[in-house]
Amino acid sequence: MEKLADDWITKGTLDFEYKKYILLAYLQHVGKSFEQHKLYPSFADLIMHYKNAAQLKDGKQKLWKSFPKELTQLDLKNFRMFFESKVAEDNQLKELEDIVDFAMNKLTGHIAVGKNIFDEVEKQLIIEPVGVKALEENEGLLLIDPQYDPFYHIYQYRISIFEAAEEKVRGLQTVFIDRIKKSIGTTLEQLKIQVLKNIKLVSNYSAFRVVALQPYPYEETLLPIVKRSFSGYLENNYQ
């Protein structure tokens, strides 16, 4: 199973064995992708499913706490009171809790594997400016340079900052421009000027190179991690 519906826990029959089968089939596919170092979209989906399960667990606990309770025991010596809910826990609620607990446990393990792959890829990236830096770093060129690839992968990037939940959130948008064959006789500065001329942009546009030392699947792993790392690099160095 390559994809898991966002509402897979609550959709259809609320049966532990059935939901367990669905989840394990999906995680088997994720495991095979991770074995090939293909991180996305599975890694992002795992995190999303974990958050959904955590919200269900939290919602169930809040619902249970809202039920009326009666005093069953009074410990005057230790100044403690013991209460018991007047409402018996519904079988469906118990089934939901079992499913959610099982899912969160299994998802946590696979998220840890994905995080290890992410860290492994990120550690071997080298990010550096190309040529003279412009005053404005929120827009420019991104040259991805896999050392095992005869081509530069060139993108135009833009950093957008917007308000969300009372905080500023940075988002990186990229547009693919071209793949240009590497040449010993062409410097990165010359390449930058050539690309800017081709897309009719000013020569003082910012440009950065991201070197990838080890081979990883480009679309599923390297590209999304480069974007995340590059966004963090700009935030840490050019705020």
Side-chain angles (χ1 to χ4, degrees):
M1 180 183 294
E2 295 185 7
K3 195 73 175 174
L4 196 62
D6 294 354
D7 59 347
W8 72 275
I9 293 178
T10 56
K11 183 179 180 181
T13 305
L14 200 63
D15 178 76
F16 177 79
E17 291 300 327
Y18 174 64
K19 298 296 184 181
K20 176 181 175 181
Y21 169 79
I22 291 177
L23 178 63
L24 292 179
Y26 167 69
L27 292 179
Q28 185 177 35
H29 166 74
V30 172
K32 290 179 179 178
S33 295
F34 284 179
E35 286 175 4
Q36 301 171 29
H37 289 93
K38 293 181 178 180
L39 198 56
Y40 288 89
S42 296
F43 187 49
D45 288 345
L46 287 174
I47 295 173
M48 179 268 293
H49 287 307
Y50 182 88
K51 288 181 178 179
N52 288 347
Q55 287 177 351
L56 279 173
K57 185 177 181 67
D58 182 61
K60 187 264 180 186
Q61 290 174 341
K62 287 180 179 178
L63 175 63
W64 185 248
K65 288 179 180 179
S66 69
F67 290 148
K69 296 176 176 59
E70 63 180 356
L71 182 65
T72 59
Q73 185 180 344
L74 185 62
D75 184 350
L76 294 176
K77 182 179 179 180
N78 297 305
F79 300 100
R80 297 176 63 189
M81 294 183 292
F82 299 88
F83 294 88
E84 186 175 298
S85 176
K86 291 183 178 180
V87 180
E89 186 167 6
D90 185 85
N91 289 336
Q92 289 289 83
L93 281 177
K94 183 63 172 65
E95 196 80 355
L96 174 62
E97 185 174 42
D98 290 344
I99 294 168
V100 167
D101 287 343
F102 178 82
M104 291 179 69
N105 179 58
K106 291 296 182 181
L107 289 167
T108 297
H110 283 71
I111 288 172
V113 174
K115 181 65 166 57
N116 286 338
I117 296 173
F118 188 104
D119 292 344
E120 175 186 304
V121 176
E122 189 174 44
K123 285 177 182 177
Q124 55 91 46
L125 297 178
I126 300 172
I127 304 176
E128 58 187 13
V130 174
V132 179
K133 294 183 291 184
L135 295 176
E136 177 57 61
E137 306 295 345
N138 286 333
E139 187 174 2
L141 294 181
L142 175 61
L143 285 65
I144 300 179
D145 178 13
Q147 293 293 279
Y148 46 88
D149 189 331
F151 290 90
Y152 293 110
H153 302 253
I154 302 175
Y155 298 80
Q156 183 178 356
Y157 78 84
R158 182 189 298 272
I159 295 289
S160 300
I161 301 177
F162 55 93
E163 301 286 340
E166 300 181 353
E167 64 176 344
K168 290 185 178 180
V169 177
R170 295 167 61 91
L172 176 70
Q173 298 174 318
T174 58
V175 177
F176 177 72
I177 296 176
D178 202 359
R179 290 171 73 244
I180 296 180
K181 192 171 181 61
K182 297 174 184 177
S183 171
I184 297 176
T186 303
T187 67
L188 288 174
E189 179 65 19
Q190 290 171 335
L191 179 64
K192 168 188 171 182
I193 294 172
Q194 174 191 330
V195 172
L196 291 174
K197 183 178 179 180
N198 290 343
I199 60 177
K200 299 179 181 179
L201 289 175
V202 293
S203 59
N204 66 343
Y205 218 46
S206 299
F208 296 86
R209 178 175 73 151
V210 181
V211 179
L213 301 176
Q214 301 296 326
Y216 291 98
Y218 187 80
E219 294 292 340
E220 300 92 343
T221 304
L222 184 60
L223 179 59
I225 294 179
V226 164
K227 290 180 180 180
R228 290 283 298 272
S229 299
F230 178 60
S231 180
Y233 170 85
L234 290 181
E235 185 174 5
N236 292 331
N237 292 279
Y238 298 101
Q239 271 194 329

